[in-house]
Amino acid sequence: MHDRPVHSRIPNRYPDYDVLAKRDGPSWNDKTREVVAQRLAITARPLFFSASEFPLVEAIAARIVPQPATRPAIPVAALVDRKLHAGISDGYRPAGMPREREAWRRGLRALDVEARHAHGQSFASLAEAEQDQLLRRAEGGELKAPDWGHMRCVDFFKRRLLRDIVMAYYSHPAAWSEVGWGGPASPRGYVRLDDNARDPWEAAEATPGHEAEAARINRHVR
């Protein structure tokens, strides 16, 4: 979890790179274009979470994956919502952990109860520092409200909040551009696999003093 002022200090390691420039080029096939289009069409309208649960998921996601103000926000909560709505499962879970849907519902309910006990407000209404404090206590296994049932708060934090939210964030093309990833390697693939070797259709990472050179390359990556 991070405080918001940190966002402005995050360097742009792949200046002028936009993975969506590959949309109609030779790097992606029709299936990749279809999947990307589906993700870009997702809106912040819940299909699985209730009207009271969804703002809570949005608040948690904002603390786990803070987003820069320099681009439209990735709808992380909605991406998690769609995974649960579709019934997509990891296929495994630790002892005491319910299946994904029940784990999310129980965990959100318990976290909100913890917030009300500690601060007299719902989690989504708390100040960011108070939200971070509760999430750190969940990570440390310190939350013990009866609402957790047999599910440990540390398992909910690591197996559901952290895993599902981070994976949702990096499933979106806007995050791909941030890390210089070109999307699924089909049909071109990646050929130059040695250390620091870059295929012509991959983004160039900026090094100090050479940002303009990286930006020039990235404007033409397809």
Side-chain angles (χ1 to χ4, degrees):
M1 288 74 73
H2 301 281
D3 295 328
R4 291 193 185 278
V6 173
H7 298 179
S8 61
R9 300 197 296 270
I10 298 175
N12 183 3
R13 296 174 58 194
Y14 297 90
D16 284 8
Y17 176 61
D18 180 6
V19 72
L20 292 179
K22 295 174 177 281
R23 189 195 300 247
D24 299 318
S27 288
W28 290 358
N29 59 18
D30 289 340
K31 187 60 179 179
T32 298
R33 296 184 187 98
E34 177 187 343
V35 171
V36 168
Q38 290 173 348
R39 291 182 188 174
L40 292 174
I42 290 176
T43 60
R45 181 177 64 86
L47 301 179
F48 171 78
F49 291 119
S50 69
S52 60
E53 290 170 337
F54 194 67
L56 177 52
V57 180
E58 290 183 310
I60 295 169
R63 305 314 302 150
I64 291 180
V65 284
Q67 301 195 44
T70 53
R71 58 152 172 78
I74 295 171
V76 178
L79 288 164
V80 174
D81 177 89
R82 298 310 188 272
K83 172 186 175 180
L84 296 170
H85 177 71
I88 298 172
S89 175
D90 296 337
Y92 61 91
R93 52 199 165 99
M97 171 71 78
R99 294 184 182 276
E100 283 85 349
R101 288 177 170 180
E102 174 58 26
W104 267 99
R105 291 211 188 279
R106 184 186 303 179
L108 292 177
R109 183 171 59 251
L111 192 61
D112 218 34
V113 167
E114 300 277 9
R116 293 180 188 279
H117 284 173
H119 303 285
Q121 300 181 76
S122 67
F123 183 92
S125 300
L126 298 180
E128 292 171 352
E130 294 170 333
Q131 292 176 343
D132 285 351
Q133 181 186 48
L134 276 173
L135 291 174
R136 289 192 179 100
R137 291 182 63 200
E139 182 183 20
E142 300 173 12
L143 302 180
K144 306 294 184 181
D147 303 76
W148 291 103
H150 295 295
M151 180 175 69
R152 300 190 307 160
C153 62
V154 61
D155 286 334
F156 178 64
F157 180 86
K158 293 181 178 179
R159 303 282 182 163
R160 293 279 63 89
L161 295 187
L162 204 60
R163 176 181 172 82
D164 290 347
I165 286 172
V166 171
M167 289 186 69
Y169 182 85
Y170 284 106
S171 74
H172 195 277
W176 301 351
S177 294
E178 286 180 358
V179 298
W181 190 53
S186 178
R188 273 181 162 174
Y190 297 114
V191 179
R192 300 176 183 178
L193 302 180
D194 293 332
D195 291 344
N196 297 319
R198 185 184 67 83
D199 287 313
W201 47 89
E202 290 186 278
E205 183 175 3
T207 55
H210 299 277
E211 291 84 358
E213 179 182 355
R216 178 185 59 78
I217 293 171
N218 290 338
R219 283 193 291 270
H220 300 285
V221 170
R222 295 293 183 273

